[in-house]
């Protein structure tokens, strides 16, 4: 090697060493979540507050598109890269624990008894053995969105309280053209949106059934109640003609465009509806069933400490976990993202529970159920297909429900065995 | 040691030195993942945990999966309708465009534009065209003439052709250009000789143009067949709410692979499907080359 080449090389190398070796006095931990504008903003605010409270700790956040999230997490942690604290969907917990990606939360900082006393009951799904493995900052539930302008136009003064009222209200809101084609639907319908949750955890229960048994390992909606629920749901389109599947492509699009009187959706929809110009809407609790049963579906994202975090990073990660599950963080999350606090002590404050928008969702949490999914998109597809068979192929509801239950049971058996 | 080599040997060393880069690139970027996919197809892996040996379990499952056979059938329907239709359309357009002098360049651009447009954007525009009243262009048009609506994408029979149509349209521009290049490459003197002999247009087309276009036709058939066997973007974007259409009526193999891998995280099963797709592509391409090229 000639002399000048050697010099260049040595300069480059020593430069690299200087940059890499610069000493840091503080602990830096990495936090990963998927990209959703409001969630990133809220987390930036929380990280700012956390760093101000804990001068020795720096938190750097990385976010990815949802589609790549799982792949990247799975590739990074075993390689010793990636996050110390990671966000995951509650339904992924089993996979993450089995793959040794996350470690249990320490019992002294997160006593299970205290968690069970403080958090909403569905969070108990995050306990395995003696420890909690992950905790949410916020939870989500369903409610009935309604278009107040269309309600006023149709002369309806209050959202429906029961399923029978739901049909009557929807009928008053439905409009057709001269040829009988729907131009405005009373209520949106589509199992591809949140309706599959409404069917599973709400309608089946309201018609007197129990959708799953044995901690969600046995499908149980192939019953009179399940068939009645399916007939009610498909009947909205086929008997009462107050909706059509696929109307305006997607249910939320129809509601946003002011072409749907009512729409069942999750609390995460609030933000985007707020941004929709000219849309005037209200929120109500989901209508009660024939004998007054109320039910709701709740889901949540949790944070957990990965197996990568060790030593002082582990201690910092524990502190960060405590911070993001604090009452203060939950209020920030509610204000910025619009997702509901995971603790009744924050959620059920006078102001939050009576809030015109958040109130119905928060009150719904009190009677919500959380489906333990093995594979949410595949289980959703089974219900989409169930409705398609009735709607497009004219299969009797009882047969279609039986086929769906069998397919879902097969999927659950494969997952749990 | 290098000094002792002959000139010829030195040439070889240098050739390989230069070739090393693409060879390494191909080994790392192409062959290693391909071999790995074949390996994974005999394993069970959910992306998070360890890979475990599964033997032929994934292939057995594939064989017994009714959805796979439906998807397999769909994939071939895309191929069997898509390739001939686009081939004939592209040839007819190219043949007439070639004879047309008026606004020739402008028309050629119009035909080529869809090929340059992103498939995703195009799929969404067509998706909205197909919607029912009140937003769908086609159904609004039908409605304004008092005709009943057609459920394009929400039908188990019409959804596949409805998705195939924009896919054919999107690829048309490219095929037209290739056909025109092929037509231009045929020596004028053949046509002049034919005219002197007083041969009919039909005979000229049948005896001169088509036989001399054979290499072009072979290329387009193989190329578009591979395209239709791998169809994904149009189907995925036009049916995101219910991926693969109502009751899997439009689902092609690539979409099934995608869902198995990145929605179900069943990498072994997805890899097995990929191997099947690879074999199908290989088989169809070899078959076409053999039938069309020889003689």
């Amino acid at each position: 090697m000639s002399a000048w080449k050697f010099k260049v090389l040595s300069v480059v190398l020593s430069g690299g060493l200087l940059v890499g070796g610069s000493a840091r006095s503080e602990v830096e931990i990495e936090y990963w979540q998927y990209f959703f504008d409001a969630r990133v903003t809220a987390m930036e605010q929380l990280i700012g507050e956390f760093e101000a409270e804990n001068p020795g700790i720096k938190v750097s956040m990385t976010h990815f598109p949802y589609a790549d999230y799982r792949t990247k997490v799975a590739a990074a942690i075993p390689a010793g890269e990636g996050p110390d604290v990671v966000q995951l969907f509650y339904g992924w917990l089993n996979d993450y624990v089995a793959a040794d990606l996350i470690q249990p939360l320490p019992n002294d900082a997160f006593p299970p008894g205290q968690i069970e006393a403080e958090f909403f009951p569905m969070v108990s799904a995050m306990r395995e053995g003696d420890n909690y493995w992950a905790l949410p900052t916020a939870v989500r539930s369903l409610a009935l969105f309604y278009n107040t302008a269309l309600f006023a136009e149709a002369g309806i003064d209050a959202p429906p309280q029961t399923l029978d009222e739901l049909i009557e209200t929807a009928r008053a809101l439905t409009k057709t053209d001269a040829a009988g084609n729907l131009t405005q639907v009373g209520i949106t319908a589509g199992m591809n949106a949140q309706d599959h949750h409404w069917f599973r955890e709400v309608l089946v229960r309201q018609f007197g059934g129990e959708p799953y048994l044995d901690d969600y390992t046995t499908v149980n909606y192939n019953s009179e109640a399940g068939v009645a629920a399916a007939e009610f749901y498909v009947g909205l389109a086929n008997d009462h003609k107050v909706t059509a599947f696929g109307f305006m492509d997607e249910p939320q699009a129809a509601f946003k465009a002011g072409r749907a009187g009512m729409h069942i959706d999750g609390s995460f929809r609030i933000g985007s509806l707020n941004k929709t110009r000219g849309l005037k809407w209200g929120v109500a609790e989901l209508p009660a069933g024939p004998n007054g049963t109320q039910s709701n579906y709740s889901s949540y994202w949790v944070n957990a400490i990965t197996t990568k975090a060790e030593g002082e990073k582990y201690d910092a990660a524990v502190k960060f976990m405590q911070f993001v599950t604090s009452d203060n963080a939950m209020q920030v999350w509610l204000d910025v993202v619009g997702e509901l606090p995971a603790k009744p002590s924050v959620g059920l404050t006078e102001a939050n529970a009576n809030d015109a928008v958040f109130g119905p969702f928060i009150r719904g949490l009190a009677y919500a159920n959380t489906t333990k999914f093995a594979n949410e998109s595949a289980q959703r597809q089974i219900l989409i297909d169930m409705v398609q068979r009735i709607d497009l192929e004219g299969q009797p509801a009882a047969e279609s429900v039986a086929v769906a239950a069998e397919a879902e049971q097969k999927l659950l058996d494969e997952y749990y065995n | 040691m290098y000094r002792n080599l002959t000139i010829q040997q030195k040439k070889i060393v240098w050739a390989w030195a230069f070739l090393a880069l693409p060879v390494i690139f191909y080994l790392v970027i192409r062959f290693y993942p391909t071999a790995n996919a074949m390996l994974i197809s005999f394993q069970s892996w959910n992306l998070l945990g360890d890979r475990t040996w599964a033997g032929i379990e994934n292939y057995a499952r594939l064989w017994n999966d009714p959805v796979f056979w439906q998807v397999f059938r769909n994939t071939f329907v895309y191929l069997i309708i898509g390739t001939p239709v686009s081939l004939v359309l592209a040839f007819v357009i190219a043949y007439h465009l070639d004879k047309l002098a008026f606004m020739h360049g402008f028309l050629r651009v119009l035909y080529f534009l869809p090929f340059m447009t992103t498939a995703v954007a195009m799929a969404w525009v067509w998706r909205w065209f197909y919607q029912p009243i009140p937003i769908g262009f086609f159904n609004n048009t039908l409605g304004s003439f008092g005709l009943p609506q057609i459920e394009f994408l929400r039908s188990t029979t019409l959804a596949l052709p409805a998705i195939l149509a924009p896919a054919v349209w999107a690829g048309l521009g490219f095929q037209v250009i290739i056909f025109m290049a092929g037509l231009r490459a045929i020596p004028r003197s053949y046509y002049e000789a034919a005219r002197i002999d007083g041969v009919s247009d039909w005979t000229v087309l049948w005896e001169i143009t088509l036989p001399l276009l054979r290499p072009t036709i072979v290329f387009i058939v193989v190329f578009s067949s591979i395209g239709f066997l791998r169809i994904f973007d149009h189907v995925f974007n036009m049916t995101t709410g219910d991926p693969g259409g109502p009751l899997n009526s439009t689902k092609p193999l690539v979409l099934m692979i995608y869902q198995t891998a990145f929605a179900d995280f069943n990498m072994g099963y997805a890899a097995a499907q990929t191997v099947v797709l690879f074999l199908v592509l290989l088989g169809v391409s070899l078959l076409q080359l053999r039938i069309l090229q020889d003689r």
Side-chain angles (χ1 to χ4, degrees):
Chain A
M1 193 183 287
S2 66
W4 67 269
K5 272 189 193 160
F6 184 78
K7 272 184 195 158
V8 170
L9 193 67
S10 54
V11 167
V12 169
L13 280 178
S14 56
L17 286 175
L18 275 178
V19 171
S22 65
R24 281 203 189 89
S25 57
E26 56 184 13
V27 186
E28 180 169 348
I29 57 170
E30 182 120 1
Y31 175 72
W32 279 17
Q33 69 168 336
Y34 78 92
F35 180 79
F36 186 86
D37 212 0
R39 303 175 78 93
V40 171
T41 316
M43 191 42 86
E44 275 166 359
Q45 187 180 333
L46 288 178
I47 288 173
E49 288 177 23
F50 176 74
E51 287 177 346
E53 275 179 33
N54 299 274
I57 306 175
K58 188 174 167 356
V59 183
S60 59
M61 172 170 56
T62 310
H63 45 78
F64 301 101
Y66 181 70
D68 305 339
Y69 191 69
R70 182 170 163 129
T71 327
K72 296 222 166 156
V73 169
I77 297 174
E81 301 282 326
D84 301 290
V85 178
V86 68
Q87 189 186 60
L88 59 143
F89 192 59
Y90 78 94
W92 301 347
L93 187 81
N94 286 338
D95 290 351
Y96 273 60
V97 171
D100 204 23
L101 293 176
I102 57 177
Q103 48 184 320
L105 300 172
N107 274 347
D108 50 342
F110 299 93
Q114 196 186 332
I115 292 173
E116 259 136 53
E118 286 182 358
F119 281 78
F120 278 111
M122 63 251 174
V123 176
S124 64
M126 294 299 104
R127 180 175 184 166
E128 261 182 42
D130 293 334
N131 294 77
Y132 269 82
W133 288 72
L135 281 177
T137 304
V139 293
R140 305 153 157 195
S141 63
L142 300 178
L144 182 77
F145 289 86
Y146 59 96
N147 186 316
T148 49
L150 297 182
F151 266 54
E153 187 193 41
I156 306 164
D157 43 349
Q161 303 286 322
T162 64
L163 291 179
D164 289 334
E165 285 176 32
L166 180 81
I167 293 172
E168 288 317 308
T169 311
R171 192 168 284 140
L173 291 161
T174 306
K175 285 184 192 167
T176 53
D177 65 10
N181 299 310
L182 283 172
T183 55
Q184 178 179 308
V185 293
I187 181 167
T188 59
M191 282 290 181
N192 53 339
Q194 298 297 309
D195 285 7
H196 73 110
H197 298 307
W198 187 40
F199 174 80
R200 258 183 249 280
E201 294 294 359
V202 184
L203 290 177
V204 171
R205 289 176 193 277
Q206 289 179 333
F207 283 91
E210 179 81 27
Y212 299 87
L213 298 174
D214 309 322
D215 199 23
Y216 288 93
T217 57
T218 306
V219 179
N220 193 42
Y221 55 72
N222 183 16
S223 60
E224 255 176 57
V227 175
E231 278 170 349
F232 169 84
Y233 181 74
V234 180
L236 289 173
N238 291 356
D239 304 332
H240 303 295
K241 313 234 181 268
V242 295
T243 190
F245 299 107
F247 177 77
M248 289 194 69
D249 204 12
E250 292 172 319
Q252 65 271 25
F255 187 75
K256 273 190 192 174
R259 293 276 191 163
M262 294 178 283
H263 172 57
I264 288 171
D265 213 330
S267 36
F268 44 82
R269 190 69 61 197
I270 295 169
S272 78
L273 290 179
N274 273 333
K275 283 186 201 154
T276 309
R277 259 187 303 160
L279 183 70
K280 294 201 171 56
W281 51 277
V283 189
E285 283 177 76
L286 294 179
N291 45 20
T293 318
Q294 283 190 298
S295 185
N296 205 315
Y297 163 76
S298 167
S299 67
Y300 47 97
W301 283 76
V302 291
N303 291 306
I305 301 176
T306 68
T307 42
K308 180 205 154 200
E310 284 170 356
E312 53 180 4
K313 290 199 177 204
Y314 177 76
D315 299 335
V318 170
K319 276 190 187 159
F320 186 62
M321 274 297 296
Q322 283 177 315
F323 182 80
V324 295
T325 52
S326 66
D327 290 12
N328 169 40
M330 290 181 187
Q331 189 66 45
V332 169
W333 209 262
L334 176 68
D335 296 339
V336 178
V337 187
E339 285 190 321
L340 317 168
K343 287 181 188 169
S345 60
V346 193
L348 298 176
T349 59
E350 195 82 5
N352 286 343
N354 292 323
D355 188 281
V357 174
F358 297 123
F361 290 101
I362 292 174
R363 293 197 295 277
L365 284 176
Y367 47 81
N369 295 285
T370 298
T371 318
K372 283 190 186 167
F373 285 107
N375 176 346
E376 187 178 348
S377 63
Q379 285 171 274
R380 181 186 75 152
Q381 188 66 49
I382 287 168
L383 290 191
I384 294 177
D385 290 351
M386 178 184 86
V387 169
Q388 304 277 42
R389 281 192 300 270
I390 304 172
D391 181 42
L392 298 179
E393 297 189 326
Q395 192 177 43
E399 277 175 38
S400 191
V401 169
V403 174
E406 194 187 330
E408 190 165 351
Q409 187 61 56
K410 188 162 165 260
L411 188 147
L412 293 178
D413 289 345
E414 273 173 21
Y415 181 78
Y416 289 110
N417 296 321
Chain B
M1 194 175 112
Y2 179 72
R3 283 163 201 242
N4 301 333
L5 297 177
T6 64
I7 298 254
Q8 198 56 35
Q9 285 168 327
K10 281 183 181 173
K11 272 188 182 167
I12 292 171
V13 168
W14 276 105
W16 274 105
F18 284 120
L19 277 176
L21 198 63
V23 165
I24 289 170
F25 180 82
Y26 246 72
L27 285 177
V28 175
I29 304 291
R30 294 272 179 194
F31 297 136
Y32 168 71
T34 309
N36 213 349
M38 290 187 180
L39 183 66
I40 293 173
S41 75
F42 294 100
Q43 293 174 327
S44 170
W45 186 34
N46 73 350
L47 252 188
L48 297 180
D50 294 326
R51 297 192 200 172
T52 52
W53 196 250
I56 59 157
E57 199 183 284
N58 290 320
Y59 291 95
R61 183 176 164 187
L62 205 59
W63 184 261
N64 295 317
D65 188 347
V67 176
F68 171 73
W69 290 109
Q70 158 104 38
V71 161
F72 201 72
R73 199 185 62 95
N74 292 343
T75 310
F76 274 92
V77 173
Y78 282 115
L79 171 77
I80 289 163
I81 303 180
T83 304
V85 166
S86 63
L87 187 79
V88 170
L89 274 180
F91 177 74
V92 170
I93 292 167
Y95 185 73
H96 291 285
L97 200 58
D98 188 48
K99 298 189 166 172
L100 187 79
F102 177 68
M103 301 231 293
H104 176 89
F106 178 69
L107 284 172
R108 212 163 54 170
V109 168
L110 282 192
Y111 278 111
F112 199 65
L113 266 182
F115 183 71
M116 300 183 1
T117 315
T118 354
V120 177
M122 198 152 49
W124 276 88
V125 171
W126 278 80
R127 177 182 176 147
W128 290 325
F129 279 171
Y130 284 135
Q131 289 305 311
I133 291 173
I135 52 169
F137 170 74
F138 295 138
N139 277 320
N140 278 344
T141 312
L142 286 175
S144 63
F145 287 105
L147 296 168
Q149 293 199 61
I150 298 174
E151 293 270 26
F152 290 101
L153 296 176
R154 271 189 52 76
S155 149
T156 47
T157 46
L158 288 179
L160 193 147
I163 289 174
L164 188 57
V168 167
W169 176 64
L172 210 55
F174 178 75
Q175 300 189 8
V176 167
I177 297 289
I178 300 290
F179 261 128
M180 284 179 63
L183 286 170
R184 293 281 160 93
I186 299 174
R188 291 281 116 192
S189 52
Y190 293 178
Y191 291 110
E192 282 156 13
R195 202 173 306 141
I196 292 166
D197 289 348
V199 174
S200 73
D201 282 354
W202 187 249
T203 316
V204 169
L205 174 67
W206 209 247
E207 299 293 337
I208 299 178
T209 312
L210 286 179
L212 289 172
L213 272 180
R214 181 179 285 277
T216 313
I217 295 173
V218 171
F219 172 76
I220 290 182
V221 166
V222 172
F223 194 83
S224 81
S225 300
I226 293 175
F228 284 116
L229 285 174
R230 293 191 317 175
I231 190 167
F232 174 80
D233 345 24
H234 286 91
V235 191
F236 182 69
N237 285 290
M238 289 174 77
T239 60
T240 46
D242 180 3
L247 301 171
N248 298 314
S249 54
T250 68
K251 191 181 284 181
L253 196 46
V254 184
L255 181 54
M256 187 180 179
I257 294 171
Y258 172 82
Q259 286 185 313
T260 311
F262 301 110
D264 302 346
F265 300 109
N266 192 342
M267 301 320 251
Y269 192 35
Q273 293 164 16
T274 315
V275 170
V276 170
L277 176 68
F278 169 73
L279 294 176
V280 167
L281 282 172
L282 189 71
V284 168
S285 306
L286 289 179
L287 194 72
Q288 287 174 340
L289 284 173
R290 204 179 167 82
I291 291 174
L292 292 166
Q293 209 145 42
D294 284 348
R295 226 192 273 177

